[in-house]
Amino acid sequence: MITMRKNYSTIVAVLSCILAVVCLFQNYQLKQDIAYLKTQQSSIRSSVQTDIGNIYSQVQSMLEQEASLLSYSDWEYGTAYVEDGKVEVICSVTPKEYSAEQTVATLYCSGNAYPMELKNGQYISKLELSVFENCTVERVVFKEGDATRTEELGWGISPRYDYLTRVYGILEYSVRNGKEADGKYIWDMDALIHISAERKGNPVEVQSMALVAELDGKEVDRMDIPLSSAINAEPGSNIHQYEYEFKKQYEMPLGSEFFLYLETVDGDNLYHRNVLELFEAKEQEGLDTATPVQSWNGAESNIYDAEGNPLFEFDWSRYK
């Protein structure tokens, strides 16, 4: 009898442990289910808020379209005359209501008025803009006799960034044994230059690249950078990237100004000059050094024609 009681107690204890484990597991599973439901609830709430926001945007857009005088409006680049610094911009609008015989449309761009011509139900105006200047197409005005209707457009057009090639250069370097000898500061440089040529919506073409050094405004050294240094320059792509490692020694007479820039010639035969460094070689506290005056490393390029005439000059004050 005593043995049976002991076995009974043991069985009860084991069953109690099993039951406790089952309860703990079910409790854990319940917590997991609650956490999942909270996550689902949060996701549903976020989705509903997004849908409400989208509905608001769609209604707002529909109201704006309903209130607009136009059923269609757009602009695009036409023919470019890069050698003359010009690009054609074609602006088109379609009014919901108009009279082919009476409606006169005028486009306003940067304060200037341009007449629009009616062709196949669209009023079209071709603007000839400088490729180096920004402009804003503010509005279109329709006149029928004494009645005037105006539609605001607010198109920002920037051929410099939308159409032409943009070049950026970053020079990383360290100086070995910078020293003075015979009235000159000798600069031994270990360097790596990173170059990026980009063109929005059009393939990039790079004809040549060179690192150019000037002393007091006169070119004293030119080192060609091979196009084979490309790390990303697939034909037809709108971005080309290059990296070129080199060693170079420059001599700067004390009292001179040393100017270093990257020159890149693009497919439109435009010369991009990215200013990298500007130094003054002078004596400071008994030591002859090359002192940085200003660094525009990584800044946008100035652009010149093949004769060296400036076409576009970047606002360097942004890097001071």
Side-chain angles (χ1 to χ4, degrees), residues 145-188:
D146 295 331
T148 300
R149 296 176 297 157
T150 301
E151 179 77 13
E152 299 296 330
L153 297 173
W155 297 338
I157 302 176
S158 180
R160 166 73 188 95
Y161 300 101
D162 294 338
Y163 193 85
L164 295 181
T165 299
R166 290 169 288 146
V167 180
Y168 300 92
I170 297 177
L171 181 67
E172 300 176 1
Y173 63 88
S174 60
V175 177
R176 295 179 292 108
N177 303 321
K179 58 186 178 180
E180 185 272 337
D182 299 326
K184 297 179 181 179
Y185 182 80
I186 299 175
W187 189 26
D188 286 325

Side-chain angles (χ1 to χ4, degrees), residues 90-233:
I90 304 171
C91 300
S92 307
V93 299
T94 302
K96 294 177 181 177
E97 298 179 2
Y98 68 95
S99 169
E101 294 77 21
Q102 298 181 19
T103 304
V104 177
T106 305
L107 193 74
Y108 287 84
C109 178
S110 297
N112 299 313
Y114 298 87
M116 305 192 78
E117 183 180 358
L118 181 61
K119 291 183 178 180
N120 299 322
Q122 285 189 344
Y123 285 90
I124 298 173
S125 184
K126 294 183 179 180
L127 316 180
E128 190 176 80
L129 306 177
S130 169
V131 294
F132 303 107
E133 294 181 5
N134 301 331
C135 74
T136 302
V137 178
E138 296 104 350
R139 61 192 179 277
V140 59
V141 176
F142 300 100
K143 288 189 176 181
E144 296 177 5
D146 295 331
T148 300
R149 296 176 297 157
T150 301
E151 179 77 13
E152 299 296 330
L153 297 173
W155 297 338
I157 302 176
S158 180
R160 166 73 188 95
Y161 300 101
D162 294 338
Y163 193 85
L164 295 181
T165 299
R166 290 169 288 146
V167 180
Y168 300 92
I170 297 177
L171 181 67
E172 300 176 1
Y173 63 88
S174 60
V175 177
R176 295 179 292 108
N177 303 321
K179 58 186 178 180
E180 185 272 337
D182 299 326
K184 297 179 181 179
Y185 182 80
I186 299 175
W187 189 26
D188 286 325
M189 179 173 64
D190 294 336
L192 173 66
I193 189 166
H194 306 268
I195 304 167
S196 177
E198 307 169 9
R199 191 169 188 179
K200 186 176 180 180
N202 291 286
V204 171
E205 182 181 350
V206 175
Q207 297 188 48
S208 65
M209 300 178 294
L211 189 67
V212 183
E214 292 184 356
L215 273 176
D216 296 328
K218 182 180 179 181
E219 183 176 319
V220 293
D221 188 84
R222 176 179 289 265
M223 181 187 73
D224 290 334
I225 299 174
L227 297 180
S228 59
S229 62
I231 59 172
N232 176 24

Side-chain angles (χ1 to χ4, degrees), residues 239-301:
I239 180 170
H240 286 188
Q241 294 173 311
Y242 305 84
E243 284 187 356
Y244 187 61
E245 191 172 1
F246 62 94
K247 300 180 185 293
K248 196 71 178 174
Q249 183 182 90
Y250 295 107
E251 294 184 356
M252 311 175 201
L254 297 182
S256 67
E257 187 175 79
F258 179 78
F259 188 48
L260 192 66
Y261 64 88
L262 168 70
E263 183 178 87
T264 305
V265 182
D266 69 16
D268 293 314
N269 208 35
L270 296 176
Y271 287 66
H272 299 255
R273 293 182 184 177
N274 295 83
V275 180
L276 301 175
E277 297 292 350
L278 175 61
F279 288 92
E280 285 182 355
K282 59 184 179 180
E283 184 175 335
Q284 276 189 336
E285 301 178 356
L287 293 175
D288 299 314
T289 63
T291 304
V293 176
Q294 181 65 53
S295 175
W296 297 278
N297 209 353
E300 190 177 342
S301 61

Side-chain angles (χ1 to χ4, degrees), residues 55-99:
I55 291 172
Y56 175 80
S57 298
Q58 292 171 4
V59 171
Q60 185 71 18
S61 177
M62 291 172 62
L63 290 174
E64 290 176 356
Q65 291 177 7
E66 184 67 24
S68 175
L69 301 175
L70 308 175
S71 60
Y72 172 84
S73 62
D74 201 2
W75 66 271
E76 63 181 353
Y77 289 110
T79 305
Y81 309 94
V82 177
E83 62 278 5
D84 298 323
K86 301 292 183 181
V87 64
E88 185 180 67
V89 175
I90 304 171
C91 300
S92 307
V93 299
T94 302
K96 294 177 181 177
E97 298 179 2
Y98 68 95
S99 169

Side-chain angles (χ1 to χ4, degrees), residues 42-56:
S42 177
S43 177
I44 292 171
R45 186 185 300 114
S46 177
S47 178
V48 169
Q49 290 175 345
T50 300
D51 290 341
I52 292 173
N54 289 338
I55 291 172
Y56 175 80

